[in-house]
Amino acid sequence: MYVELLKRIKNKNFYISILCLFFIVVSSVITGLKHYHENIDLVQRIYSNNENVLALVSAHKEWIGLSSQNFFSSLYYFLFPLLISIALTDSIYLEKHSGNISYQLTRMSRKAYYRKKFLFTYMSSFLLFIIPLIFGIILVNFLVDQWDYSFYSNMYKHLINGEVELPDNSFEGEKKDIFSSLLAISPYLYILIYYVMGGLFAGGYVCIALASSLMIKNKYFVILLPQIIYMVSWALFTILGKLSWDPFNFLDPKQPVEGLSYSPIVIAFVLQVLIAFGLYVYGVKKNDDVL
């Protein structure tokens, strides 16, 4: 794994990927905090410092993926398959065309080489997805000087239990279809499960492209493949009216559509892993002629 990391560090695409991901995160934080301060001022004027309402206008909503007003927050979830793919999917392609794969297979078994490639790509995709997002949380909290969001969780718990009165229905959208019990405990738990889930899917998308690189000779198509799959899924489920089955919707922490449930997430994840692993095994067998 250490050797694979060194190879990636020497690849300029790795830095392009990281810089793009962190640029979007920092842009999202700057934009989000502007919205947060504007919302605080607006709520204080309209609701005369109503404590129940103020508790629901929380800075944690500016974490990546939670703001419905933030273009860059949505952009991260729109482009992550491509931005992570840039750094990782061409590793086998480059080694095949440089001849380095033949050298590697003289130092280790074919099985070990391909197993390490798959595991490294999956784990790296997971980390590339999640690390910029965690940085975004830290940056938001640091800039607003707030780390404890228990006041929001307590108010949210009362809200979903029907134990709090609000001036109007403006905050009905606060209620989540899935993982709501985690949000009632802490926003950290809620966002963590979403970031982990997104990282797992990122690994699956990129590994499908890695597997395809064993069979497809066009490097740029391989890099674009995760984003193509992501967008085709979005278009297909939108046309079919099955928005809750679309990864673009169920991976988004703000839950942009109604009717979300756990079963589509589990089914999509299992299918994704099976497809990635199946294509990879098939691709490895097709490359048996490589020394």
Side-chain angles (χ1 to χ4, degrees):
M1 292 296 181
Y2 176 70
V3 174
E4 290 294 331
L5 180 59
L6 289 179
K7 292 177 186 176
R8 289 295 93 194
I9 290 175
K10 293 178 181 179
N11 189 334
K12 66 178 182 180
N13 286 349
F14 182 77
Y15 297 99
I16 292 173
S17 177
I18 290 178
L19 287 174
C20 288
L21 290 168
F22 274 91
F23 173 78
I24 293 174
V25 167
V26 172
S27 299
S28 177
V29 170
I30 294 171
T31 305
L33 290 182
K34 181 177 180 291
H35 290 156
Y36 169 68
H37 291 300
E38 290 174 351
N39 289 338
I40 284 288
D41 292 340
L42 182 63
V43 167
Q44 287 175 336
R45 289 200 307 270
I46 295 177
Y47 297 103
S48 302
N49 292 322
N50 184 306
E51 292 186 1
N52 291 342
V53 175
L54 285 174
L56 294 174
V57 184
S58 174
H60 85 273
K61 293 181 181 179
E62 304 309 328
W63 295 346
I64 312 301
L66 287 176
S67 174
S68 58
Q69 301 174 299
N70 195 324
F71 167 78
F72 291 102
S73 178
S74 299
L75 184 65
Y76 191 97
Y77 274 86
F78 182 75
L79 288 180
F80 79 84
L82 172 62
L83 295 180
I84 296 173
S85 174
I86 289 171
L88 298 168
T89 52
D90 63 352
S91 60
I92 293 179
Y93 179 93
L94 292 175
E95 291 191 359
K96 283 172 64 178
H97 284 75
S98 68
N100 187 51
I101 189 171
S102 298
Y103 170 71
Q104 293 294 330
L105 292 178
T106 63
R107 302 176 64 226
M108 68 180 77
S109 70
R110 184 184 304 274
K111 184 177 180 180
Y113 171 81
Y114 285 112
R115 183 179 67 249
K116 289 180 180 179
K117 280 289 183 185
F118 189 90
L119 291 175
F120 176 81
T121 300
Y122 195 93
M123 292 170 60
S124 299
S125 300
F126 178 89
L127 292 174
L128 273 178
F129 177 86
I130 202 171
I131 288 175
L133 297 174
I134 293 174
F135 173 76
I137 290 178
I138 294 171
L139 189 57
V140 168
N141 290 357
F142 175 77
L143 291 176
V144 298
D145 192 24
Q146 183 176 333
W147 301 85
D148 181 10
Y149 295 98
S150 58
F151 65 98
Y152 175 87
S153 295
N154 291 332
M155 187 54 61
Y156 180 79
K157 188 187 302 181
H158 292 314
L159 178 66
I160 61 177
N161 290 334
E163 300 169 350
V164 61
E165 293 185 6
L166 296 172
D168 52 40
N169 295 325
S170 301
F171 294 93
E172 283 299 310
E174 291 286 323
K175 299 178 182 178
K176 307 299 184 185
D177 290 330
I178 54 178
F179 304 115
S180 183
S181 59
L182 294 181
L183 189 55
I185 298 172
S186 171
Y188 288 107
L189 288 176
Y190 177 83
I191 203 64
L192 178 62
I193 192 66
Y194 264 101
Y195 286 177
V196 168
M197 191 166 67
L200 293 174
F201 272 85
Y205 284 124
V206 175
C207 282
I208 289 174
L210 180 73
S212 300
S213 72
L214 293 166
M215 298 167 278
I216 298 173
K217 295 182 179 181
N218 190 314
K219 168 186 171 181
Y220 299 103
F221 180 78
V222 169
I223 290 174
L224 286 170
L225 187 58
Q227 189 70 36
I228 292 171
I229 295 171
Y230 193 56
M231 296 309 300
V232 167
S233 298
W234 169 77
L236 178 62
F237 288 118
T238 299
I239 292 171
L240 295 176
K242 301 290 186 180
L243 298 180
S244 63
W245 283 81
D246 174 22
F248 183 70
N249 290 322
F250 67 60
L251 290 177
D252 192 335
K254 65 177 175 285
Q255 299 190 19
V257 299
E258 297 180 352
L260 292 171
S261 61
Y262 299 106
S263 54
I265 301 173
V266 175
I267 293 171
F269 175 69
V270 171
L271 285 175
Q272 187 194 53
V273 171
L274 289 176
I275 291 170
F277 186 73
L279 285 176
Y280 194 70
V281 171
Y282 177 75
V284 170
K285 289 182 177 178
K286 279 185 66 76
N287 284 266
D288 279 345
D289 58 328
V290 177
L291 181 64

